[in-house]
Structure formats: structure tokens, C-alpha cells
Amino acid sequence: MSGDKWLAALALLLIMEGLMPFLNPGAWRQLFAKLLAMSDGQLRFLGLASLACGGLLLWLL
């Protein structure tokens, strides 16, 4: 994969990450408050699920 594609992927990631705090900052704060209240095991499971979904989507593409 060329460097341009990596930069495009990074740019899309940053756009997606910035949408919720830009559009609805109150809900974004509430979400992070809930995340802070979760145990380490719950956060690890969410991270694993996110990795699996991202890997599956990348594999399908």
C-alpha cells in the first residue's frame, strides 16, 4: 500500500473520530463518562471487538 493510501486512511479516521464531539459534544461527554466507569476487562472486550470488526471489514475490502 502506498504512502498516499495510508495518509488517506489516517485522514478518514480523524474525520470519523471528530464527528461526534463536533455534532453532539454533550453525548460525547456522557459516552466517555460511561467508558471511565467500565472495568478493565470490559474495555479490553470492547477493544477486541473493535479490532475484530475492523479486521473483518478490511479483509472484506
Side-chain angles (χ1 to χ4, degrees):
M1 191 183 301
S2 69
D4 290 342
K5 289 184 181 182
W6 281 108
L7 286 175
L10 178 61
L12 287 172
L13 172 72
L14 292 172
I15 289 169
M16 295 300 291
E17 288 285 329
L19 275 176
M20 189 166 171
F22 176 73
L23 295 175
N24 195 348
W28 187 74
R29 276 193 195 98
Q30 288 177 357
L31 174 66
F32 270 87
K34 289 179 183 178
L35 287 173
L36 287 172
M38 288 183 171
S39 69
D40 287 350
Q42 290 172 315
L43 288 173
R44 283 191 177 109
F45 177 76
L46 285 175
L48 178 63
S50 178
L51 285 169
C53 289
L56 179 64
L57 182 59
L58 189 60
W59 179 72
L60 289 172
L61 293 174

